[in-house]
């Protein structure tokens, strides 16, 4: 199973990619729906599913054309099974099933969170063991990988995910959706020490970001005159990245792994990358920018390293399955 065609439709990006051996991209396309959902202030599931339906077939054709391959050359068809939006996941799964059936190829299902971690294997020689900090719009977790298929969840957020906190704070500051990239950009010209926002007081490797979001809200309510947006963004970003970096480094030292791996949309965050580089005594890896947010190269890669073969009766799941 060396050459995999991957399909990603877990949320608001339609993506298709052809990846060889889990590490080399032959062709990859992502069509983002952000402009469509922006006016609603967040993703509308039915609209997202409809957009995937309209885009998928063209993307599959484009990717095969770009790689100059027929579907017969592909060893397997992979898609995201969950977690994600049920309606959008089903569009990707249906397309994958049809392709697998028509071309007589194995159907491989992939967990979206594992796929984010596998984005780190693209164009690298990286291999487990490592500590992964998975920070996306729906999850914030510290995971110990002892092999490609064996992992333990060491801690996770008790409430909002890091990306969700970015999106909610951006909304309350009137900065639009998605919040991460815009806060990251504005924070660059702000003072991270202007407002001492709390980190969230959770023991061990757990996190809590809902108190931080409320602290930003209270601060905004008290401020008179035009808001110091850059300082607010920088101070919020400082609080998030500080706790993420500190706990990730602590987990890596405790488990004695040789490196740290960042994954998920918030892995694109400049402050988080900077803080980890400053604080970690061991190497820190992160995917290139385009592979941090949702894409299909990571799905095809995950199929190679840790995907599960399924039959045509398979379905999707919206929430994370229990980890081993
Ligand atoms: O992994 P992803 O594309 O989708 C999920 O699986 O959730 O992550 C999307 C999240 C959004 O919450 C977005 O605001 C955040 O990643 N994000 C960022 C940055 N770029 C995207 N957060 C902080 N800084 C960024 N530069
Ligand atoms: Zn994602």
């Amino acid at each position: 199973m060396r050459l995999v065609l991957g399909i990603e439709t877990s949320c608001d990006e339609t993506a298709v990619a052809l990846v060889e051996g889990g590490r080399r991209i032959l062709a990859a396309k992502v069509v983002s729906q952000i402009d469509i959902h922006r006016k609603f202030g967040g993703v509308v599931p039915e609209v997202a599913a409809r957009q995937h339906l309209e885009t998928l077939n063209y993307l599959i054709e484009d990717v095969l054309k770009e790689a100059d391959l027929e579907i017969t050359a592909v060893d397997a068809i992979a898609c995201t099974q969950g977690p994600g939006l049920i309606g959008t996941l089903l569009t990707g799964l249906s397309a994958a099933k049809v392709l697998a059936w028509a071309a007589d190829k194995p159907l491989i299902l992939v967990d979206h969170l594992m796929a984010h971690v596998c984005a780190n294997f693209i164009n690298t020689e990286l291999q487990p063991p490592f500590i992964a900090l998975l920070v996306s719009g729906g999850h914030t977790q510290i995971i110990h990988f002892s092999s490609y298929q064996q992992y333990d969840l060491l801690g996770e957020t008790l409430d909002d995910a890091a990306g969700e906190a970015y999106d909610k704070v951006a909304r309350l500051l009137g900065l639009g959706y998605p919040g991460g990239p815009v806060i990251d950009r504005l924070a660059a010209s702000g003072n991270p020490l202007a407002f001492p926002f709390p980190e969230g007081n959770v023991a061990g490797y757990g996190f809590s970001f809902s108190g931080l979001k409320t602290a930003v809200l209270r601060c905004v309510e008290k401020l008179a005159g035009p808001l110091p947006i850059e300082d607010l963004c920088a101070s919020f970003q400082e609080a998030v990245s500080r706790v993420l970096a500190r706990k990730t480094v602590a987990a890596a030292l405790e488990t004695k792994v040789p490196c740290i791996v960042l994954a998920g949309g918030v892995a694109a965050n400049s402050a988080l990358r900077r803080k980890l580089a400053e604080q970690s005594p061991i190497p820190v890896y992160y995917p290139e920018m385009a592979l941090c947010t949702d894409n299909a190269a990571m799905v095809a890669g995950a199929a190679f390293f840790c995907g599960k073969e399924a039959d045509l009766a398979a379905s999707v799941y919206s929430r994370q399955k229990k980890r081993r």
Side-chain angles (χ1 to χ4, degrees), residues 6-19 25-36 51-52 54-64 66 80 112 116 119 122 288-300:
I7 297 176
E8 156 62 28
T9 59
S10 68
C11 191
D12 60 344
E13 260 97 28
T14 320
V16 179
L18 272 166
V19 175
I25 299 178
L26 300 190
K29 302 252 176 226
V30 181
V31 174
S32 172
Q33 304 174 4
I34 283 180
D35 287 340
I36 295 166
Q51 287 300 318
H52 288 310
E54 287 183 3
T55 317
L56 256 181
N57 284 350
Y58 298 110
L59 279 194
I60 294 167
E61 262 176 40
D62 276 6
V63 160
L64 286 167
E66 191 177 308
T80 310
H112 184 65
H116 271 302
I122 304 275
E288 57 189 74
M289 283 296 186
L291 297 175
C292 285
T293 46
D294 292 345
N295 64 87
M298 68 184 193
V299 175

Tab-separated table of all heavy atoms in Angstrom, residues 6-19 25-36 51-52 54-64 66 80 112 116 119 122 288-300:
chain	number	residue	atom	x	y	z
A	6	GLY	N	-5.865	10.229	-0.753
A	6	GLY	CA	-6.540	10.616	0.488
A	6	GLY	C	-7.599	11.679	0.246
A	6	GLY	O	-7.439	12.545	-0.622
A	7	ILE	N	-8.683	11.590	1.023
A	7	ILE	CA	-9.786	12.553	0.922
A	7	ILE	C	-10.074	13.101	2.315
A	7	ILE	O	-10.209	12.335	3.272
A	7	ILE	CB	-11.062	11.868	0.366
A	7	ILE	CG1	-10.816	11.362	-1.060
A	7	ILE	CG2	-12.260	12.810	0.410
A	7	ILE	CD1	-11.983	10.585	-1.648
A	8	GLU	N	-10.178	14.429	2.439
A	8	GLU	CA	-10.466	15.050	3.737
A	8	GLU	C	-11.692	15.958	3.604
A	8	GLU	O	-11.720	16.869	2.772
A	8	GLU	CB	-9.239	15.856	4.197
A	8	GLU	CG	-9.496	16.994	5.168
A	8	GLU	CD	-10.081	16.575	6.510
A	8	GLU	OE1	-9.834	15.436	6.954
A	8	GLU	OE2	-10.822	17.376	7.110
A	9	THR	N	-12.709	15.678	4.444
A	9	THR	CA	-13.912	16.523	4.445
A	9	THR	C	-14.479	16.639	5.868
A	9	THR	O	-15.690	16.699	6.039
A	9	THR	CB	-15.029	15.931	3.535
A	9	THR	OG1	-15.354	14.618	4.027
A	9	THR	CG2	-14.646	15.849	2.087
A	10	SER	N	-13.608	16.690	6.888
A	10	SER	CA	-14.152	16.640	8.254
A	10	SER	C	-14.813	17.935	8.678
A	10	SER	O	-15.640	17.952	9.583
A	10	SER	CB	-13.054	16.278	9.249
A	10	SER	OG	-12.121	17.323	9.335
A	11	CYS	N	-14.454	19.046	8.011
A	11	CYS	CA	-15.050	20.327	8.425
A	11	CYS	C	-15.254	21.225	7.205
A	11	CYS	O	-16.107	20.925	6.375
A	11	CYS	CB	-14.167	20.975	9.488
A	11	CYS	SG	-14.947	22.376	10.299
A	12	ASP	N	-14.470	22.292	7.074
A	12	ASP	CA	-14.746	23.251	6.000
A	12	ASP	C	-13.641	23.351	4.956
A	12	ASP	O	-13.556	24.343	4.249
A	12	ASP	CB	-15.067	24.634	6.584
A	12	ASP	CG	-13.923	25.192	7.418
A	12	ASP	OD1	-13.026	24.410	7.797
A	12	ASP	OD2	-13.927	26.399	7.697
A	13	GLU	N	-12.797	22.318	4.865
A	13	GLU	CA	-11.837	22.255	3.771
A	13	GLU	C	-12.092	20.986	2.969
A	13	GLU	O	-12.127	19.904	3.545
A	13	GLU	CB	-10.396	22.211	4.305
A	13	GLU	CG	-9.682	23.535	4.255
A	13	GLU	CD	-9.728	24.269	5.566
A	13	GLU	OE1	-9.828	23.583	6.600
A	13	GLU	OE2	-9.693	25.512	5.547
A	14	THR	N	-12.276	21.142	1.657
A	14	THR	CA	-12.358	19.956	0.802
A	14	THR	C	-10.949	19.716	0.294
A	14	THR	O	-10.347	20.624	-0.283
A	14	THR	CB	-13.266	20.199	-0.422
A	14	THR	OG1	-14.398	20.963	-0.015
A	14	THR	CG2	-13.713	18.891	-1.045
A	15	ALA	N	-10.433	18.498	0.523
A	15	ALA	CA	-9.040	18.267	0.112
A	15	ALA	C	-8.856	16.857	-0.412
A	15	ALA	O	-9.477	15.904	0.070
A	15	ALA	CB	-8.105	18.522	1.286
A	16	VAL	N	-7.980	16.753	-1.420
A	16	VAL	CA	-7.623	15.461	-2.016
A	16	VAL	C	-6.115	15.470	-2.257
A	16	VAL	O	-5.562	16.502	-2.647
A	16	VAL	CB	-8.372	15.236	-3.359
A	16	VAL	CG1	-7.983	13.903	-3.978
A	16	VAL	CG2	-9.886	15.299	-3.154
A	17	ALA	N	-5.458	14.336	-1.999
A	17	ALA	CA	-4.005	14.277	-2.236
A	17	ALA	C	-3.577	12.868	-2.589
A	17	ALA	O	-4.230	11.890	-2.217
A	17	ALA	CB	-3.252	14.739	-0.990
A	18	LEU	N	-2.473	12.795	-3.309
A	18	LEU	CA	-1.832	11.517	-3.618
A	18	LEU	C	-0.478	11.510	-2.933
A	18	LEU	O	0.344	12.410	-3.177
A	18	LEU	CB	-1.620	11.406	-5.130
A	18	LEU	CG	-2.768	10.821	-5.945
A	18	LEU	CD1	-2.526	11.097	-7.420
A	18	LEU	CD2	-2.905	9.328	-5.697
A	19	VAL	N	-0.260	10.540	-2.050
A	19	VAL	CA	0.980	10.510	-1.268
A	19	VAL	C	1.613	9.126	-1.359
A	19	VAL	O	0.922	8.107	-1.242
A	19	VAL	CB	0.701	10.880	0.215
A	19	VAL	CG1	1.960	10.721	1.071
A	19	VAL	CG2	0.178	12.301	0.312
A	25	ILE	N	4.561	13.769	-1.310
A	25	ILE	CA	3.328	14.225	-1.971
A	25	ILE	C	3.536	14.239	-3.490
A	25	ILE	O	4.458	14.892	-3.981
A	25	ILE	CB	2.942	15.639	-1.495
A	25	ILE	CG1	2.675	15.660	0.017
A	25	ILE	CG2	1.719	16.156	-2.263
A	25	ILE	CD1	2.324	17.025	0.575
A	26	LEU	N	2.661	13.528	-4.214
A	26	LEU	CA	2.719	13.580	-5.679
A	26	LEU	C	1.828	14.696	-6.203
A	26	LEU	O	2.120	15.323	-7.215
A	26	LEU	CB	2.284	12.243	-6.296
A	26	LEU	CG	3.092	10.999	-5.918
A	26	LEU	CD1	2.706	9.824	-6.792
A	26	LEU	CD2	4.585	11.253	-6.042
A	27	ALA	N	0.704	14.910	-5.513
A	27	ALA	CA	-0.203	16.006	-5.873
A	27	ALA	C	-1.132	16.239	-4.690
A	27	ALA	O	-1.498	15.294	-3.996
A	27	ALA	CB	-1.019	15.645	-7.118
A	28	ALA	N	-1.491	17.498	-4.470
A	28	ALA	CA	-2.375	17.802	-3.335
A	28	ALA	C	-3.149	19.080	-3.616
A	28	ALA	O	-2.588	20.047	-4.124
A	28	ALA	CB	-1.559	17.968	-2.056
A	29	LYS	N	-4.446	19.055	-3.294
A	29	LYS	CA	-5.297	20.239	-3.518
A	29	LYS	C	-6.174	20.446	-2.291
A	29	LYS	O	-6.697	19.476	-1.728
A	29	LYS	CB	-6.235	20.029	-4.711
A	29	LYS	CG	-5.546	19.715	-6.005
A	29	LYS	CD	-5.635	20.901	-6.948
A	29	LYS	CE	-4.863	20.618	-8.212
A	29	LYS	NZ	-4.013	21.680	-8.655
A	30	VAL	N	-6.339	21.702	-1.910
A	30	VAL	CA	-7.258	22.050	-0.820
A	30	VAL	C	-8.140	23.191	-1.310
A	30	VAL	O	-7.626	24.176	-1.831
A	30	VAL	CB	-6.507	22.536	0.446
A	30	VAL	CG1	-7.495	22.860	1.557
A	30	VAL	CG2	-5.497	21.505	0.924
A	31	VAL	N	-9.456	23.039	-1.153
A	31	VAL	CA	-10.359	24.152	-1.429
A	31	VAL	C	-10.999	24.551	-0.110
A	31	VAL	O	-11.736	23.780	0.497
A	31	VAL	CB	-11.438	23.767	-2.473
A	31	VAL	CG1	-12.456	24.894	-2.630
A	31	VAL	CG2	-10.783	23.456	-3.812
A	32	SER	N	-10.664	25.759	0.346
A	32	SER	CA	-11.187	26.226	1.634
A	32	SER	C	-12.550	26.887	1.443
A	32	SER	O	-12.792	27.569	0.460
A	32	SER	CB	-10.217	27.229	2.239
A	32	SER	OG	-10.820	27.804	3.370
A	33	GLN	N	-13.425	26.670	2.428
A	33	GLN	CA	-14.760	27.289	2.372
A	33	GLN	C	-14.840	28.503	3.293
A	33	GLN	O	-15.933	29.010	3.547
A	33	GLN	CB	-15.815	26.274	2.807
A	33	GLN	CG	-15.827	24.986	2.025
A	33	GLN	CD	-16.792	23.979	2.610
A	33	GLN	OE1	-17.519	24.257	3.561
A	33	GLN	NE2	-16.804	22.783	2.066
A	34	ILE	N	-13.690	28.949	3.789
A	34	ILE	CA	-13.706	30.012	4.811
A	34	ILE	C	-14.522	31.226	4.356
A	34	ILE	O	-15.320	31.770	5.116
A	34	ILE	CB	-12.262	30.413	5.195
A	34	ILE	CG1	-11.683	29.341	6.124
A	34	ILE	CG2	-12.226	31.770	5.915
A	34	ILE	CD1	-10.268	29.578	6.593
A	35	ASP	N	-14.346	31.631	3.097
A	35	ASP	CA	-15.061	32.835	2.629
A	35	ASP	C	-16.572	32.650	2.666
A	35	ASP	O	-17.313	33.603	2.861
A	35	ASP	CB	-14.616	33.191	1.204
A	35	ASP	CG	-13.203	33.773	1.216
A	35	ASP	OD1	-12.777	34.230	2.297
A	35	ASP	OD2	-12.530	33.732	0.170
A	36	ILE	N	-17.022	31.396	2.469
A	36	ILE	CA	-18.471	31.128	2.487
A	36	ILE	C	-18.998	31.195	3.916
A	36	ILE	O	-20.063	31.750	4.174
A	36	ILE	CB	-18.750	29.747	1.865
A	36	ILE	CG1	-18.360	29.773	0.380
A	36	ILE	CG2	-20.218	29.346	2.041
A	36	ILE	CD1	-18.275	28.414	-0.258
A	51	GLN	N	-21.013	22.055	-0.123
A	51	GLN	CA	-19.811	22.514	-0.828
A	51	GLN	C	-18.863	21.351	-1.128
A	51	GLN	O	-18.291	21.270	-2.208
A	51	GLN	CB	-19.067	23.574	0.017
A	51	GLN	CG	-19.760	24.916	0.071
A	51	GLN	CD	-19.923	25.539	-1.300
A	51	GLN	OE1	-19.019	25.504	-2.126
A	51	GLN	NE2	-21.081	26.081	-1.575
A	52	HIS	N	-18.707	20.442	-0.153
A	52	HIS	CA	-17.836	19.281	-0.396
A	52	HIS	C	-18.357	18.486	-1.598
A	52	HIS	O	-17.583	18.084	-2.468
A	52	HIS	CB	-17.814	18.350	0.825
A	52	HIS	CG	-17.057	18.909	1.998
A	52	HIS	ND1	-15.789	19.428	1.890
A	52	HIS	CD2	-17.385	19.016	3.305
A	52	HIS	CE1	-15.378	19.830	3.085
A	52	HIS	NE2	-16.328	19.599	3.960
A	54	GLU	N	-20.059	19.459	-4.097
A	54	GLU	CA	-19.860	20.144	-5.375
A	54	GLU	C	-18.401	20.157	-5.808
A	54	GLU	O	-18.110	20.286	-6.987
A	54	GLU	CB	-20.406	21.580	-5.279
A	54	GLU	CG	-21.920	21.561	-5.274
A	54	GLU	CD	-22.542	22.943	-5.244
A	54	GLU	OE1	-21.791	23.936	-5.282
A	54	GLU	OE2	-23.773	23.008	-5.152
A	55	THR	N	-17.495	20.039	-4.859
A	55	THR	CA	-16.066	20.222	-5.166
A	55	THR	C	-15.294	18.917	-5.341
A	55	THR	O	-14.336	18.850	-6.115
A	55	THR	CB	-15.391	21.027	-4.014
A	55	THR	OG1	-16.251	22.095	-3.652
A	55	THR	CG2	-14.054	21.588	-4.430
A	56	LEU	N	-15.708	17.873	-4.602
A	56	LEU	CA	-14.879	16.663	-4.499
A	56	LEU	C	-14.489	16.022	-5.829
A	56	LEU	O	-13.305	15.737	-6.055
A	56	LEU	CB	-15.601	15.631	-3.645
A	56	LEU	CG	-15.068	15.461	-2.224
A	56	LEU	CD1	-15.863	14.399	-1.489
A	56	LEU	CD2	-13.583	15.113	-2.217
A	57	ASN	N	-15.490	15.798	-6.701
A	57	ASN	CA	-15.193	15.087	-7.948
A	57	ASN	C	-14.135	15.812	-8.772
A	57	ASN	O	-13.225	15.191	-9.336
A	57	ASN	CB	-16.454	14.897	-8.780
A	57	ASN	CG	-17.308	13.789	-8.209
A	57	ASN	OD1	-16.861	13.066	-7.315
A	57	ASN	ND2	-18.531	13.657	-8.692
A	58	TYR	N	-14.267	17.155	-8.826
A	58	TYR	CA	-13.286	17.929	-9.597
A	58	TYR	C	-11.898	17.793	-8.995
A	58	TYR	O	-10.906	17.674	-9.701
A	58	TYR	CB	-13.690	19.416	-9.627
A	58	TYR	CG	-15.016	19.644	-10.303
A	58	TYR	CD1	-16.131	20.024	-9.575
A	58	TYR	CD2	-15.138	19.458	-11.681
A	58	TYR	CE1	-17.352	20.231	-10.198
A	58	TYR	CE2	-16.358	19.654	-12.314
A	58	TYR	CZ	-17.463	20.040	-11.569
A	58	TYR	OH	-18.654	20.228	-12.187
A	59	LEU	N	-11.836	17.825	-7.660
A	59	LEU	CA	-10.531	17.754	-6.997
A	59	LEU	C	-9.853	16.405	-7.245
A	59	LEU	O	-8.639	16.339	-7.458
A	59	LEU	CB	-10.669	17.964	-5.485
A	59	LEU	CG	-10.790	19.403	-4.987
A	59	LEU	CD1	-10.577	19.457	-3.482
A	59	LEU	CD2	-9.779	20.292	-5.675
A	60	ILE	N	-10.647	15.337	-7.184
A	60	ILE	CA	-10.083	13.994	-7.423
A	60	ILE	C	-9.492	13.937	-8.836
A	60	ILE	O	-8.358	13.505	-9.043
A	60	ILE	CB	-11.170	12.906	-7.215
A	60	ILE	CG1	-11.595	12.872	-5.736
A	60	ILE	CG2	-10.656	11.531	-7.653
A	60	ILE	CD1	-12.852	12.068	-5.452
A	61	GLU	N	-10.272	14.449	-9.812
A	61	GLU	CA	-9.783	14.477	-11.198
A	61	GLU	C	-8.512	15.304	-11.317
A	61	GLU	O	-7.532	14.889	-11.934
A	61	GLU	CB	-10.850	15.117	-12.101
A	61	GLU	CG	-11.710	14.113	-12.814
A	61	GLU	CD	-12.807	14.806	-13.606
A	61	GLU	OE1	-12.542	15.852	-14.225
A	61	GLU	OE2	-13.947	14.304	-13.563
A	62	ASP	N	-8.521	16.484	-10.691
A	62	ASP	CA	-7.366	17.403	-10.774
A	62	ASP	C	-6.100	16.766	-10.233
A	62	ASP	O	-5.021	16.900	-10.806
A	62	ASP	CB	-7.628	18.651	-9.915
A	62	ASP	CG	-8.441	19.671	-10.661
A	62	ASP	OD1	-8.885	19.358	-11.785
A	62	ASP	OD2	-8.649	20.765	-10.107
A	63	VAL	N	-6.242	16.103	-9.076
A	63	VAL	CA	-5.072	15.540	-8.413
A	63	VAL	C	-4.472	14.410	-9.257
A	63	VAL	O	-3.254	14.324	-9.428
A	63	VAL	CB	-5.465	15.080	-6.991
A	63	VAL	CG1	-4.486	14.091	-6.436
A	63	VAL	CG2	-5.566	16.282	-6.068
A	64	LEU	N	-5.331	13.553	-9.805
A	64	LEU	CA	-4.836	12.461	-10.651
A	64	LEU	C	-4.151	13.024	-11.897
A	64	LEU	O	-3.093	12.551	-12.318
A	64	LEU	CB	-5.982	11.528	-11.045
A	64	LEU	CG	-6.480	10.602	-9.923
A	64	LEU	CD1	-7.802	9.945	-10.298
A	64	LEU	CD2	-5.431	9.515	-9.605
A	66	GLU	N	-2.763	16.015	-12.215
A	66	GLU	CA	-1.492	16.656	-11.852
A	66	GLU	C	-0.373	15.627	-11.660
A	66	GLU	O	0.775	15.866	-12.022
A	66	GLU	CB	-1.683	17.465	-10.572
A	66	GLU	CG	-0.495	18.364	-10.285
A	66	GLU	CD	-0.712	19.225	-9.053
A	66	GLU	OE1	-1.763	19.895	-8.981
A	66	GLU	OE2	0.161	19.192	-8.168
A	80	THR	N	-11.082	10.500	5.851
A	80	THR	CA	-11.250	10.776	7.270
A	80	THR	C	-12.560	10.176	7.748
A	80	THR	O	-13.612	10.422	7.147
A	80	THR	CB	-11.282	12.298	7.510
A	80	THR	OG1	-10.172	12.869	6.842
A	80	THR	CG2	-11.259	12.626	8.984
A	112	HIS	N	-8.968	11.704	12.247
A	112	HIS	CA	-8.527	13.050	11.884
A	112	HIS	C	-7.362	13.535	12.759
A	112	HIS	O	-6.461	14.236	12.295
A	112	HIS	CB	-9.716	14.000	12.020
A	112	HIS	CG	-9.431	15.397	11.577
A	112	HIS	ND1	-9.132	15.724	10.275
A	112	HIS	CD2	-9.376	16.557	12.265
A	112	HIS	CE1	-8.928	17.017	10.192
A	112	HIS	NE2	-9.058	17.563	11.389
A	116	HIS	N	-3.513	14.622	11.664
A	116	HIS	CA	-2.771	15.864	11.964
A	116	HIS	C	-1.352	15.537	12.418
A	116	HIS	O	-0.397	16.200	12.025
A	116	HIS	CB	-3.497	16.667	13.042
A	116	HIS	CG	-4.517	17.627	12.480
A	116	HIS	ND1	-4.185	18.606	11.575
A	116	HIS	CD2	-5.846	17.758	12.713
A	116	HIS	CE1	-5.277	19.298	11.261
A	116	HIS	NE2	-6.301	18.803	11.933
A	119	ALA	N	0.947	14.560	9.585
A	119	ALA	CA	1.395	15.655	8.708
A	119	ALA	C	2.886	15.899	8.921
A	119	ALA	O	3.590	16.376	8.030
A	119	ALA	CB	0.596	16.925	8.985
A	122	ILE	N	5.433	14.071	6.484
A	122	ILE	CA	5.563	14.465	5.082
A	122	ILE	C	6.905	15.181	4.877
A	122	ILE	O	7.220	16.134	5.592
A	122	ILE	CB	4.396	15.415	4.674
A	122	ILE	CG1	3.037	14.775	4.943
A	122	ILE	CG2	4.564	15.897	3.237
A	122	ILE	CD1	2.496	13.870	3.889
A	288	GLU	N	4.918	21.973	7.687
A	288	GLU	CA	4.932	23.259	7.007
A	288	GLU	C	3.520	23.853	7.097
A	288	GLU	O	2.548	23.122	7.285
A	288	GLU	CB	5.407	23.114	5.565
A	288	GLU	CG	4.600	22.151	4.743
A	288	GLU	CD	5.229	21.870	3.388
A	288	GLU	OE1	6.251	21.142	3.331
A	288	GLU	OE2	4.695	22.375	2.399
A	289	MET	N	3.442	25.193	6.979
A	289	MET	CA	2.184	25.914	7.239
A	289	MET	C	0.956	25.262	6.589
A	289	MET	O	-0.050	25.034	7.236
A	289	MET	CB	2.280	27.358	6.733
A	289	MET	CG	3.069	28.249	7.642
A	289	MET	SD	2.288	28.432	9.272
A	289	MET	CE	3.346	29.653	10.006
A	290	ALA	N	1.060	24.949	5.298
A	290	ALA	CA	-0.108	24.443	4.566
A	290	ALA	C	-0.553	23.081	5.088
A	290	ALA	O	-1.692	22.666	4.859
A	290	ALA	CB	0.211	24.361	3.083
A	291	LEU	N	0.331	22.374	5.795
A	291	LEU	CA	-0.035	21.049	6.308
A	291	LEU	C	-0.485	21.094	7.768
A	291	LEU	O	-0.821	20.062	8.342
A	291	LEU	CB	1.141	20.080	6.144
A	291	LEU	CG	1.575	19.804	4.703
A	291	LEU	CD1	2.810	18.925	4.664
A	291	LEU	CD2	0.441	19.155	3.911
A	292	CYS	N	-0.474	22.289	8.380
A	292	CYS	CA	-0.949	22.410	9.776
A	292	CYS	C	-2.473	22.347	9.815
A	292	CYS	O	-3.068	21.636	10.615
A	292	CYS	CB	-0.490	23.728	10.390
A	292	CYS	SG	1.249	23.745	10.811
A	293	THR	N	-3.116	23.136	8.959
A	293	THR	CA	-4.581	23.119	8.932
A	293	THR	C	-5.045	21.936	8.074
A	293	THR	O	-4.226	21.224	7.491
A	293	THR	CB	-5.128	24.455	8.386
A	293	THR	OG1	-4.385	24.784	7.225
A	293	THR	CG2	-4.970	25.567	9.411
A	294	ASP	N	-6.371	21.732	8.021
A	294	ASP	CA	-6.895	20.518	7.389
A	294	ASP	C	-6.444	20.371	5.933
A	294	ASP	O	-6.543	21.307	5.149
A	294	ASP	CB	-8.422	20.516	7.483
A	294	ASP	CG	-8.871	20.356	8.926
A	294	ASP	OD1	-8.038	19.974	9.772
A	294	ASP	OD2	-10.059	20.606	9.208
A	295	ASN	N	-5.989	19.173	5.596
A	295	ASN	CA	-5.521	18.877	4.236
A	295	ASN	C	-5.630	17.366	4.016
A	295	ASN	O	-5.908	16.623	4.956
A	295	ASN	CB	-4.074	19.357	4.068
A	295	ASN	CG	-3.122	18.606	4.978
A	295	ASN	OD1	-2.612	17.549	4.620
A	295	ASN	ND2	-2.896	19.102	6.188
A	296	ALA	N	-5.417	16.917	2.784
A	296	ALA	CA	-5.598	15.493	2.519
A	296	ALA	C	-4.274	14.732	2.458
A	296	ALA	O	-4.269	13.506	2.546
A	296	ALA	CB	-6.362	15.293	1.212
A	297	ALA	N	-3.158	15.459	2.356
A	297	ALA	CA	-1.867	14.768	2.356
A	297	ALA	C	-1.689	14.042	3.686
A	297	ALA	O	-1.208	12.909	3.746
A	297	ALA	CB	-0.740	15.775	2.128
A	298	MET	N	-2.131	14.689	4.762
A	298	MET	CA	-1.994	14.058	6.080
A	298	MET	C	-2.917	12.836	6.197
A	298	MET	O	-2.602	11.891	6.927
A	298	MET	CB	-2.283	15.068	7.201
A	298	MET	CG	-3.717	15.542	7.300
A	298	MET	SD	-3.874	16.805	8.604
A	298	MET	CE	-5.678	16.884	8.767
A	299	VAL	N	-4.016	12.844	5.471
A	299	VAL	CA	-4.946	11.706	5.500
A	299	VAL	C	-4.327	10.517	4.766
A	299	VAL	O	-4.311	9.382	5.270
A	299	VAL	CB	-6.310	12.090	4.861
A	299	VAL	CG1	-7.233	10.886	4.764
A	299	VAL	CG2	-6.956	13.216	5.656
A	300	ALA	N	-3.777	10.788	3.581
A	300	ALA	CA	-3.124	9.717	2.823
A	300	ALA	C	-1.917	9.191	3.606
A	300	ALA	O	-1.648	7.990	3.623
A	300	ALA	CB	-2.700	10.243	1.456
